[in-house]
Amino acid sequence: MDRQVDVVVVGGGSTGCGVVRDLARRGLEAVLVEKGNLTHGTTGRMHGLLHSGGRYAVSDQKSARECIEENRVLRDIAAHCVEETGGLFVKRPEDSEEYFQEKLEGCRACDIPAEVID
Ligand SMILES: Cc1cc2nc3c(=O)[nH]c(=O)nc-3n(C[C@H](O)[C@H](O)[C@H](O)COP(=O)(O)OP(=O)(O)OC[C@H]3O[C@@H](n4cnc5c(N)ncnc54)[C@H](O)[C@@H]3O)c2cc1C
């Protein structure tokens, strides 16, 4: 490659593609290099869920807050990529009531929208 660019991004997964898109939108000359195909790595295996942070709402509230913050940014800048499917934590009769109560309180503490449905 004999082109002069501002930034070379290595890896065409979700991180590299996101970074190169962001650089281009800021007017920088950037090139993405990928040793396989785009989404050749972990990105090609992902489920595509835009996490709310709910799964960390009790065990790691710092990550939970970061997650919902990023979730809102992505909804704002790439709304066309987000399909609203909701998300459920399902309580079975044998599951502990305290676990779900703690989860609900954790979500509320981290500003993650959550409601109880029957
Ligand atoms: C089964 C599964 C399900 C998941 N589900 C979700 C989900 O629902 N929601 C969610 O948010 N996250 C999910 N994740 C996590 C998510 O997939 C990863 O966090 C994300 O894909 C990481 O992206 P990345 O670009 O950092 O890495 P990668 O996708 O691994 O990209 C790295 C790229 O770099 C390339 N590369 C490496 N070395 C070089 C080199 N020397 N030169 C050129 N190219 C190179 C690789 O080929 C690869 O394409 C899931 C992960 C797994 C495994």
Side-chain angles (χ1 to χ4, degrees), residues 11-16 34-35 37-49:
S14 50
T15 306
E34 166 55 52
K35 68 178 178 182
N37 297 315
L38 290 179
T39 75
H40 172 84
T42 317
T43 301
R45 277 92 184 154
M46 78 184 295
H47 301 138
L49 296 174

